[in-house]
Amino acid sequence: MVAYSIFLNFVEVFTLTAFVYLYYSFSSRKQFCLLLTSLFLICELCDILRENGIILMLGYFITSYLFVLYEKKTIYSGDIFILGGYVFLLFTYPYLSYCLFGNILDTPYAYVYYICAGITSKLFLILVTCWLLEHLKFTFHVPNKQYFLVIITEIVVLSIFGIIGYAAVDVTVSYNPILVCSLLLAVFILIIINGIYFNMVYTEKMQYEKQLQKEKYIKQSLRLIQNISYDIDDKKHRIHWILEHIKHLNNDTNPKISKAIKQYQSKNTYQKLVASKNPVFDILISVKINRLQDDNISIKPFFEISQNEKYDDLDFIDVISEILNYVKRNSEITLHIKGQGIYTLVELYSENDFYDYDRCKIESDLIVKKKNIYKDGIYYMKFLLKGTDDDVRENL
């Protein structure tokens, strides 16, 4: 029976080695022989010490995964999951064989049980391994961070099943109740932690989805408002030139007509609209410019920016609005916004001193650098918004 036991152990170890070698695509036969020898020595040592349960399972798993880790050079949760599942299945076949042939143990032909159970369990192992190698050809992706707790929980659960299975097969095997209770308590705690963690992940995902939907609806609304604004502005522009034509035809022959036209034109100033193809930026900056225009601040917009989501960011737009808040009344300035890679240069300039430099105390993480200069009869106020390319700062 000793030779028969060694034969069964060799079949078990050889099948496990073949699975690891073929599934994880080992490139060297020396690795196959070294893994086979290592696993077989662990198996025989556990047989001698009568540690054929959880200790042997962990020995198989740890040794096999060390070889996988040496081959791949990187830890993948998917590899741990598949190898752990396979090792657990390897230890379920003796229990299945016990369920099939357990009644023979109570008869004088107990040796028949060992022969039938041993051959059946190893036959199950070989057939399932062949099936897995044929069908389990895909790469099993498991996000390391998200599912690490799940994998730990499954390993502990499988360890408990291994203990229970071997205790049922071999009545001489006994385990410390404290060990079993500790593992069950660990499973209970891990399940609670998993629940809390995945609830947090789900909540964050839902908040992110809601934010995306909110931004989508805001952009749609702003595009609609922008289109309406363009239409209204176009009509105001036409009315303006129609009144100019009427004023020209009237040629001050009727003072009341000229006065009425002048009053209407003074109340309905032609509005400026920004068109940079960034809908949120365009409509909000247009509103800001026209509000300043009501305060007798004439702003000529000049933008050199491409269509990019960063310009529609509300924090970015708020910084530009805050910059414009310190323009003095009755000023005429040019607002120049230029994209420079990951930087954005915001530049205001005018022939007259137009800015409250002392009052300008804008606090924003987006502002990298600011300064005011006077050059060639022109006053400048410049802001460089966030970026990482130091070469661009030299252009300020």
Side-chain angles (χ1 to χ4, degrees):
M1 293 298 291
V2 175
Y4 177 68
S5 177
I6 294 174
F7 169 74
L8 293 180
N9 290 341
F10 179 79
V11 172
E12 178 178 281
V13 170
F14 184 86
T15 308
L16 172 58
T17 305
F19 174 80
V20 174
Y21 181 83
L22 295 174
Y23 182 78
Y24 294 103
S25 303
F26 281 19
S27 57
S28 172
R29 293 183 181 179
K30 291 181 180 180
Q31 290 178 316
F32 178 88
C33 296
L34 185 59
L35 178 59
L36 177 65
T37 303
S38 301
L39 293 176
F40 188 70
L41 288 175
I42 291 172
C43 181
E44 290 301 312
L45 182 61
C46 288
D47 234 6
I48 294 171
L49 300 175
R50 302 185 65 81
E51 291 288 351
N52 292 322
I54 187 67
I55 302 299
L56 181 58
M57 183 188 294
L58 289 175
Y60 279 172
F61 174 78
I62 294 172
T63 304
S64 300
Y65 188 70
L66 286 176
F67 275 80
V68 174
L69 188 60
Y70 177 80
E71 177 69 19
K72 290 197 170 185
K73 311 297 183 185
T74 307
I75 296 176
Y76 292 106
S77 296
D79 294 336
I80 298 174
F81 183 83
I82 291 174
L83 184 58
Y86 180 83
V87 172
F88 172 73
L89 288 176
L90 185 148
F91 279 79
T92 60
Y93 305 130
Y95 181 72
L96 295 176
S97 299
Y98 171 79
C99 295
L100 290 174
F101 304 103
N103 294 331
I104 304 178
L105 280 173
D106 298 329
T107 67
Y109 305 99
Y111 65 90
V112 177
Y113 162 79
Y114 293 107
I115 295 174
C116 293
I119 293 175
T120 304
S121 65
K122 304 315 171 193
L123 185 61
F124 280 156
L125 174 61
I126 293 171
L127 292 175
V128 172
T129 300
C130 291
W131 185 88
L132 289 174
L133 289 173
E134 183 178 352
H135 294 86
L136 202 63
K137 293 294 185 181
F138 55 87
T139 302
F140 195 82
H141 291 290
V142 177
N144 290 336
K145 294 181 180 179
Q146 290 84 341
Y147 288 93
F148 181 75
L149 283 173
V150 176
I151 292 172
I152 296 298
T153 305
E154 290 179 350
I155 289 174
V156 177
V157 171
L158 294 180
S159 301
I160 294 174
F161 276 115
I163 290 174
I164 295 172
Y166 262 92
V169 173
D170 192 346
V171 294
T172 63
V173 175
S174 62
Y175 294 97
N176 191 329
I178 297 177
L179 173 62
V180 178
C181 291
S182 299
L183 289 175
L184 289 172
L185 180 62
V187 171
F188 177 73
I189 295 173
L190 285 170
I191 289 174
I192 293 176
I193 295 174
N194 276 301
I196 295 173
Y197 176 75
F198 281 105
N199 182 63
M200 291 172 56
V201 171
Y202 176 76
T203 302
E204 289 179 1
K205 180 180 178 182
M206 292 303 297
Q207 290 177 347
Y208 179 71
E209 292 291 337
K210 288 180 180 178
Q211 184 65 26
L212 287 180
Q213 290 294 324
K214 182 179 178 180
E215 291 179 359
K216 177 182 177 182
Y217 290 134
I218 289 175
K219 288 183 179 181
Q220 289 177 346
S221 300
L222 288 171
R223 286 192 184 98
L224 178 61
I225 294 171
Q226 187 181 42
N227 291 333
I228 294 173
S229 298
Y230 277 124
D231 187 58
I232 293 173
D233 186 72
D234 182 65
K235 287 180 170 58
K236 284 186 175 182
H237 188 54
R238 292 180 183 179
I239 292 172
H240 173 80
W241 287 110
I242 289 172
L243 291 174
E244 285 291 327
H245 184 63
I246 293 173
K247 189 196 304 185
H248 177 72
L249 293 175
N250 180 52
N251 196 20
D252 291 333
T253 55
N254 190 331
K256 291 183 178 180
I257 294 177
S258 300
K259 183 179 180 181
I261 292 173
K262 187 178 293 185
Q263 288 177 346
Y264 177 84
Q265 290 179 335
S266 64
K267 292 181 180 179
N268 294 275
T269 308
Y270 179 68
Q271 291 188 335
K272 296 179 180 179
L273 293 176
V274 176
S276 69
K277 297 183 179 180
N278 298 285
V280 180
F281 175 86
D282 289 348
I283 189 65
L284 293 181
I285 294 300
S286 295
V287 170
K288 181 66 177 179
I289 289 175
N290 286 293
R291 283 181 179 175
L292 293 174
Q293 184 172 277
D294 294 338
D295 292 334
N296 296 323
I297 299 174
S298 177
I299 296 181
K300 179 182 178 182
F302 175 43
F303 299 153
E304 295 180 273
I305 58 176
S306 59
Q307 188 173 4
N308 194 309
E309 291 183 358
K310 69 178 181 180
Y311 298 119
D312 283 334
D313 183 77
L314 294 179
D315 291 334
F316 177 85
I317 298 172
D318 286 342
V319 170
I320 296 178
S321 297
E322 186 71 11
I323 290 171
L324 294 173
N325 285 339
Y326 295 97
V327 176
K328 296 178 181 179
R329 286 177 174 269
N330 302 312
S331 299
E332 293 185 1
I333 67 169
T334 298
L335 171 63
H336 180 207
I337 300 179
K338 182 179 181 181
Q340 295 185 332
I342 54 178
Y343 282 89
T344 303
L345 178 64
V346 180
E347 184 180 49
L348 295 82
Y349 54 88
S350 174
E351 293 182 353
N352 301 309
D353 191 2
F354 64 93
Y355 210 74
D356 288 326
Y357 307 105
D358 297 333
R359 290 180 55 239
C360 180
K361 297 180 181 179
I362 305 171
E363 295 183 1
S364 174
D365 294 335
L366 293 178
I367 297 178
V368 178
K369 192 176 180 182
K370 68 176 181 179
K371 68 178 178 180
N372 60 289
I373 59 175
Y374 178 74
K375 183 179 180 181
D376 298 331
I378 303 295
Y379 292 87
Y380 292 89
M381 189 66 186
K382 298 187 178 185
F383 297 84
L384 187 65
L385 302 191
K386 180 169 277 189
T388 57
D389 188 356
D390 291 334
D391 293 336
V392 182
R393 302 188 188 188
E394 301 300 325
N395 296 325
L396 184 63

